[in-house]
Amino acid sequence: TLPAASLGAALVGLVALGLGAARRVPRALAATVALLAAAAAPLLWDVGRVPLAGRVGLPSDAQARAIFEQLHANVYAAFDAGGEDAIYELLADSVAPELLDQLYGDVYESLILRDQGGAVCAIEEVEVLDGAVDFHRFEEAEGPPRYAVDWKWRVHGLVAHWGHVHRRRNEYDATYVVRHDGQGWKIADVEVRAHQRIDDDA
């Protein structure tokens, strides 16, 4: 955004100085107006800000991968929060609103050990196995900039239940869509192609 009021005050000061230098107005008056404008400009910094129009460009391949990797890590990190409301609040920073409920349900369900009385698995590590960014999928698409990511990862978890420690590994293969919402990049869609569960009892 542009600070329109501050820029306007600065412009008034410059015009006054110019008129004073050209002797079209008394120099003392011009100097007074310029000083008042200089004092007003910082005070008006947040007044009348004008948004700049423009389209966000796509990041480079390396940047796009780094953006998604952080968003993906944020999704699992959110489940360390102390309750559903807190989890949703953290997820909203990285996930588009229309995907929140689905992603919350999918991840939560993957952390539940149904055969262990519904105990919840604590995430120890999210291990990235492979990943590739695809810009071509949305080359002709209208609307906000977006790109696809093919991602393979493994979630390592641990649950203590009934006097035993259970280790769980879930391996996934999915395609994500990352979209810019005008403020930042967020996960906007996901299609899980494969999911394999491996449990190791310790």
PDB file of all heavy atoms in Angstrom, residues 117-129:
ATOM      1  N   GLY A 117      -7.885 -48.519  21.377  1.00  0.00           N
ATOM      2  CA  GLY A 117      -8.852 -47.774  22.161  1.00  0.00           C
ATOM      3  C   GLY A 117      -8.954 -46.304  21.817  1.00  0.00           C
ATOM      4  O   GLY A 117      -9.454 -45.511  22.605  1.00  0.00           O
ATOM      5  N   GLY A 118      -8.495 -45.915  20.638  1.00  0.00           N
ATOM      6  CA  GLY A 118      -8.602 -44.523  20.221  1.00  0.00           C
ATOM      7  C   GLY A 118      -7.490 -43.632  20.733  1.00  0.00           C
ATOM      8  O   GLY A 118      -7.632 -42.410  20.744  1.00  0.00           O
ATOM      9  N   ALA A 119      -6.379 -44.216  21.162  1.00  0.00           N
ATOM     10  CA  ALA A 119      -5.250 -43.408  21.629  1.00  0.00           C
ATOM     11  C   ALA A 119      -4.706 -42.564  20.478  1.00  0.00           C
ATOM     12  O   ALA A 119      -4.726 -42.973  19.316  1.00  0.00           O
ATOM     13  CB  ALA A 119      -4.152 -44.316  22.169  1.00  0.00           C
ATOM     14  N   VAL A 120      -4.231 -41.380  20.806  1.00  0.00           N
ATOM     15  CA  VAL A 120      -3.713 -40.464  19.793  1.00  0.00           C
ATOM     16  C   VAL A 120      -2.195 -40.571  19.725  1.00  0.00           C
ATOM     17  O   VAL A 120      -1.508 -40.541  20.744  1.00  0.00           O
ATOM     18  CB  VAL A 120      -4.122 -39.012  20.094  1.00  0.00           C
ATOM     19  CG1 VAL A 120      -3.566 -38.070  19.036  1.00  0.00           C
ATOM     20  CG2 VAL A 120      -5.633 -38.893  20.175  1.00  0.00           C
ATOM     21  N   CYS A 121      -1.704 -40.691  18.523  1.00  0.00           N
ATOM     22  CA  CYS A 121      -0.273 -40.825  18.280  1.00  0.00           C
ATOM     23  C   CYS A 121       0.396 -39.450  18.278  1.00  0.00           C
ATOM     24  O   CYS A 121      -0.074 -38.524  17.619  1.00  0.00           O
ATOM     25  CB  CYS A 121      -0.065 -41.514  16.934  1.00  0.00           C
ATOM     26  SG  CYS A 121       1.632 -41.911  16.555  1.00  0.00           S
ATOM     27  N   ALA A 122       1.491 -39.307  19.020  1.00  0.00           N
ATOM     28  CA  ALA A 122       2.258 -38.066  19.036  1.00  0.00           C
ATOM     29  C   ALA A 122       3.269 -38.085  17.888  1.00  0.00           C
ATOM     30  O   ALA A 122       3.975 -39.075  17.684  1.00  0.00           O
ATOM     31  CB  ALA A 122       2.984 -37.912  20.369  1.00  0.00           C
ATOM     32  N   ILE A 123       3.339 -36.998  17.141  1.00  0.00           N
ATOM     33  CA  ILE A 123       4.242 -36.933  15.992  1.00  0.00           C
ATOM     34  C   ILE A 123       5.666 -36.689  16.461  1.00  0.00           C
ATOM     35  O   ILE A 123       5.942 -35.731  17.181  1.00  0.00           O
ATOM     36  CB  ILE A 123       3.798 -35.821  15.030  1.00  0.00           C
ATOM     37  CG1 ILE A 123       2.400 -36.109  14.497  1.00  0.00           C
ATOM     38  CG2 ILE A 123       4.790 -35.682  13.875  1.00  0.00           C
ATOM     39  CD1 ILE A 123       1.788 -34.958  13.738  1.00  0.00           C
ATOM     40  N   GLU A 124       6.573 -37.556  16.063  1.00  0.00           N
ATOM     41  CA  GLU A 124       7.990 -37.399  16.376  1.00  0.00           C
ATOM     42  C   GLU A 124       8.752 -36.742  15.226  1.00  0.00           C
ATOM     43  O   GLU A 124       9.635 -35.932  15.439  1.00  0.00           O
ATOM     44  CB  GLU A 124       8.622 -38.753  16.666  1.00  0.00           C
ATOM     45  CG  GLU A 124       8.167 -39.402  17.951  1.00  0.00           C
ATOM     46  CD  GLU A 124       8.951 -40.667  18.255  1.00  0.00           C
ATOM     47  OE1 GLU A 124       8.974 -41.578  17.399  1.00  0.00           O
ATOM     48  OE2 GLU A 124       9.538 -40.731  19.337  1.00  0.00           O
ATOM     49  N   GLU A 125       8.400 -37.115  13.999  1.00  0.00           N
ATOM     50  CA  GLU A 125       9.149 -36.603  12.849  1.00  0.00           C
ATOM     51  C   GLU A 125       8.298 -36.713  11.592  1.00  0.00           C
ATOM     52  O   GLU A 125       7.540 -37.667  11.409  1.00  0.00           O
ATOM     53  CB  GLU A 125      10.434 -37.414  12.656  1.00  0.00           C
ATOM     54  CG  GLU A 125      11.282 -36.970  11.473  1.00  0.00           C
ATOM     55  CD  GLU A 125      12.437 -37.912  11.178  1.00  0.00           C
ATOM     56  OE1 GLU A 125      12.586 -38.910  11.911  1.00  0.00           O
ATOM     57  OE2 GLU A 125      13.184 -37.656  10.217  1.00  0.00           O
ATOM     58  N   VAL A 126       8.413 -35.710  10.719  1.00  0.00           N
ATOM     59  CA  VAL A 126       7.827 -35.775   9.380  1.00  0.00           C
ATOM     60  C   VAL A 126       9.001 -35.824   8.402  1.00  0.00           C
ATOM     61  O   VAL A 126       9.733 -34.851   8.242  1.00  0.00           O
ATOM     62  CB  VAL A 126       6.923 -34.568   9.092  1.00  0.00           C
ATOM     63  CG1 VAL A 126       6.374 -34.653   7.665  1.00  0.00           C
ATOM     64  CG2 VAL A 126       5.780 -34.499  10.102  1.00  0.00           C
ATOM     65  N   GLU A 127       9.185 -36.973   7.787  1.00  0.00           N
ATOM     66  CA  GLU A 127      10.339 -37.216   6.921  1.00  0.00           C
ATOM     67  C   GLU A 127       9.935 -37.086   5.454  1.00  0.00           C
ATOM     68  O   GLU A 127       9.045 -37.784   4.964  1.00  0.00           O
ATOM     69  CB  GLU A 127      10.870 -38.627   7.182  1.00  0.00           C
ATOM     70  CG  GLU A 127      12.024 -39.040   6.297  1.00  0.00           C
ATOM     71  CD  GLU A 127      12.373 -40.506   6.466  1.00  0.00           C
ATOM     72  OE1 GLU A 127      11.669 -41.216   7.232  1.00  0.00           O
ATOM     73  OE2 GLU A 127      13.340 -40.965   5.821  1.00  0.00           O
ATOM     74  N   VAL A 128      10.572 -36.175   4.746  1.00  0.00           N
ATOM     75  CA  VAL A 128      10.304 -35.988   3.315  1.00  0.00           C
ATOM     76  C   VAL A 128      11.080 -37.031   2.530  1.00  0.00           C
ATOM     77  O   VAL A 128      12.300 -37.159   2.660  1.00  0.00           O
ATOM     78  CB  VAL A 128      10.709 -34.574   2.858  1.00  0.00           C
ATOM     79  CG1 VAL A 128      10.462 -34.415   1.362  1.00  0.00           C
ATOM     80  CG2 VAL A 128       9.943 -33.520   3.648  1.00  0.00           C
ATOM     81  N   LEU A 129      10.365 -37.779   1.695  1.00  0.00           N
ATOM     82  CA  LEU A 129      10.994 -38.828   0.896  1.00  0.00           C
ATOM     83  C   LEU A 129      11.304 -38.362  -0.521  1.00  0.00           C
ATOM     84  O   LEU A 129      12.343 -38.697  -1.087  1.00  0.00           O
ATOM     85  CB  LEU A 129      10.085 -40.060   0.846  1.00  0.00           C
ATOM     86  CG  LEU A 129       9.730 -40.683   2.192  1.00  0.00           C
ATOM     87  CD1 LEU A 129       8.769 -41.846   1.995  1.00  0.00           C
ATOM     88  CD2 LEU A 129      10.987 -41.140   2.936  1.00  0.00           C
TER      89      LEU A 129
END
